[in-house]
Amino acid sequence: MGTFYSDDKIQEAIAALEDHTPGIWERMKKMASAPDDPHDKEQEAELGAIVRVLTIVLPRVSFVAQAEDKNEARARLSIDVGNTVRAAIAPAKDVPKPRP
């Protein structure tokens, strides 16, 4: 799944996110499923909370903390986590909604 990191490393990062903020994975999937624009105030607050958690946790993940270029490692992990979120919601988006 990952472009830069193995699935095991991505799962380690997701587990660290969940340890820090239980339920963050579901919140990330919910936000990724929401229409892009316009965000209401509640969605903006939720997005801000997710970004804060990512900013706090991802630099602390062992393989990022030990990387020679920590900023690049964190950025690449962010991309991989984002790809994983999108992949997790893709099946739900592909299912056609029944018409009333």
Side-chain angles (χ1 to χ4, degrees):
M1 179 71 48
T3 301
F4 302 104
Y5 291 105
S6 68
D7 289 349
D8 288 342
K9 298 265 190 222
I10 296 168
Q11 289 305 314
E12 179 183 333
I14 292 169
L17 290 165
E18 279 290 321
D19 284 346
H20 184 274
T21 306
I24 193 71
W25 178 247
E26 290 303 319
R27 291 166 62 189
M28 291 168 67
K29 291 190 311 184
K30 180 180 175 187
M31 281 302 298
S33 296
D36 291 336
D37 285 317
H39 289 305
D40 61 24
K41 289 185 183 206
E42 184 179 317
Q43 288 173 316
E44 288 293 332
E46 183 69 4
L47 188 57
I50 290 168
V51 170
R52 279 190 297 281
V53 172
L54 292 170
T55 302
I56 292 167
V57 175
L58 295 186
R60 296 180 184 172
V61 175
S62 64
F63 55 92
V64 173
Q66 296 169 0
E68 189 172 312
D69 185 339
K70 292 170 181 40
N71 289 327
E72 182 177 350
R74 184 194 46 79
R76 288 180 174 198
L77 181 56
S78 293
I79 292 167
D80 279 351
V81 169
N83 288 340
T84 303
V85 169
R86 283 185 289 284
I89 65 167
K93 282 189 167 185
D94 292 340
V95 175
K97 293 182 181 175
R99 291 187 175 172

